Amino acid sequence: MGINRAAKGIVLVPCLLLGAAFLAASAWGEAEANRNLALTLGLSLMAGGLLAQFLPEPPPDQTDPGNGQGRS
């Protein structure tokens, strides 16, 4: 099963949204004890979502539409 553009988007959007929420909580939160945890989670989620975009995609299928068989 190959990695495709839709799957990358499904990973990217929630990671960026949750990462931004954690970063905002670390910036404006009142709890000093959890500030480092929120900052770490926010940065790791955003980095994970962005790094998922750099995964290589497999080359397109090399089939001949004329006979339905692949090239040899």
Side-chain angles (χ1 to χ4, degrees), residues 3-27:
I3 299 172
N4 60 18
R5 188 177 300 251
K8 287 181 179 184
I10 290 171
V11 171
L12 175 70
V13 172
C15 284
L16 289 182
L17 290 174
L18 284 171
F22 276 111
L23 288 176
S26 72

